[in-house]
Amino acid sequence: MEYTDRFLAIVPDPGAVEVLATGAAFTEGPVYLPDEGCVLFSDIPNDRILRWSESDGMTVWREPCGFANGATLDREGRIIHCEHGTRRVSRTAHDGSVATLADRFGGGRLNSPNDAVVTPDGAIWFTDPPYGICSDEHGLQADSEQAGNLVFRLDPESGSLDVVCDTMEEPNGLAFSPDWSLLYIADSSLADGRGSNRHIMLFDVVEGRRLGDGRVFAVIEPGVPDGLRVDEHGNVWTSAADGVHVIAPDGVKLGRILVPEVTANCAFGGDDDRRDLYMTATTSLYRIRVNVRGAPGPA
Ligand code: MG
């Protein structure tokens, strides 16, 4: 593959993808824990959360885990998980105790929370597509009790949910720009054939708690965009069938990190500089060293 100088400036060695761990069925939800120097990631069909560190290799961190998917950290370093099977957003405290933060809206159960991000005010923004209830493979098959596939903001004060977006077919990964003024949300409805979207939408964030009208930021192929992250310069790093694509804030596609398996998510980590990119791809966890840091704020 040909690489542009602009891409090589941020990914100097695109071929230097390491495989760190393998043996899972479908990996998702990577999150780096700086205090432990490890990565947690979900193995959804096997209903377990795995842990990888340089010293310990791969171990099982939680099993069963409510068919957990996406993960992030809150402002206090507690772990936020989106869970398909239990159809909730949970928080794991430093003592290991687990609390339900959200599992219902408008009188019905959530579909299957997929991915989450925490804003500086402590709110948790998360997506709620149907991937965990449309079969027993990535959750438990069940009917939707919601009017659609919504994106929510969980208020840190009241604990209540507000709908921030009801216009996407199947919202999936999400990430804010470094200054928190923009929100990127992947729509992956093409993946299950119920829709035709394989794009990332871009929204203006209004007063830190609402979204303006969305516009298409980028169409991702092959495959669909699933999980995504933003770096310190505002570049968007999104999963795709062939690896991770890097897109500049102006929408220019800078290049691709090719991964040997269908890739579903990524996260920045590394104790001192957050320049390691961890990538979850089907059976395995991969890593590549890059020249930019993940955007400031929670993972
Ligand atoms: Mg996802």
Side-chain angles (χ1 to χ4, degrees):
M1 174 170 280
E2 294 282 314
Y3 297 105
T4 64
D5 289 345
R6 193 175 172 192
F7 182 65
L8 291 171
I10 58 174
V11 185
D13 191 355
V17 174
E18 305 170 78
V19 57
L20 302 176
T22 192
F26 184 90
T27 56
E28 244 272 28
V31 61
Y32 187 80
L33 308 188
D35 292 346
E36 298 184 41
C38 73
V39 183
L40 300 182
F41 58 107
S42 304
D43 179 9
I44 303 175
N46 288 318
D47 195 14
R48 59 183 184 167
I49 297 170
L50 301 170
R51 178 187 190 275
W52 181 89
S53 71
E54 209 78 59
S55 56
D56 300 335
M58 189 177 88
T59 54
V60 176
W61 185 76
R62 178 181 292 165
E63 181 182 23
C65 65
F67 291 91
N69 187 343
T72 192
L73 299 179
D74 74 5
R75 307 298 291 179
E76 298 175 36
R78 297 173 296 189
I79 306 162
I80 305 299
H81 269 111
C82 293
E83 300 179 9
H84 285 180
T86 36
R87 299 169 72 167
R88 68 173 181 170
V89 176
S90 71
R91 181 180 64 210
T92 301
H94 295 297
D95 66 3
S97 62
V98 181
T100 298
L101 301 184
D103 60 357
R104 303 183 70 84
F105 177 74
R109 302 179 71 188
L110 298 175
N111 291 330
S112 50
N114 189 291
D115 221 339
V117 64
V118 176
T119 46
D121 61 0
I124 300 170
W125 298 55
F126 67 94
T127 57
D128 191 37
Y131 299 120
I133 57 172
C134 58
S135 78
D136 287 328
E137 187 184 357
H138 287 219
L140 301 166
Q141 187 165 17
D143 293 332
S144 175
E145 300 175 22
Q146 296 295 322
N149 300 317
L150 305 172
V151 184
F152 294 103
R153 176 183 180 274
L154 175 63
D155 189 273
E157 304 294 329
S158 66
S160 65
L161 292 184
D162 291 313
V163 177
V164 291
C165 181
D166 62 1
T167 58
M168 302 189 67
E169 289 191 344
E170 294 183 353
N172 199 324
L174 71 175
F176 286 87
S177 59
D179 65 359
W180 307 96
S181 69
L182 302 169
L183 178 64
Y184 300 90
I185 310 177
D187 192 329
S188 53
S189 66
L190 183 68
D192 57 17
R194 285 188 296 268
S196 55
N197 290 340
R198 56 170 16 144
H199 56 228
I200 296 170
M201 295 292 290
L202 174 58
F203 300 86
D204 293 309
V205 179
V206 181
E207 296 174 345
R209 52 196 307 143
R210 297 191 307 278
L211 297 179
D213 293 337
R215 61 258 191 204
V216 175
F217 171 68
V219 175
I220 303 301
E221 55 187 338
V224 296
D226 188 332
L228 52 91
R229 291 290 194 273
V230 172
D231 69 29
E232 59 183 330
H233 303 305
N235 300 307
V236 176
W237 301 62
T238 178
S239 66
D242 59 351
V244 170
H245 299 188
V246 185
I247 307 167
D250 60 7
V252 172
K253 293 183 175 177
L254 301 180
R256 305 175 181 203
I257 300 164
L258 296 178
V259 175
E261 299 183 81
V262 172
T263 307
N265 213 330
C266 60
F268 288 97
D271 287 343
D272 46 356
D273 56 11
R274 302 185 71 219
R275 289 200 290 123
D276 293 326
L277 185 75
Y278 292 90
M279 301 171 284
T280 51
T282 313
T283 67
S284 308
L285 175 70
Y286 295 85
R287 179 175 66 183
I288 189 170
R289 186 80 174 150
V290 298
N291 249 353
V292 290
R293 303 165 194 260

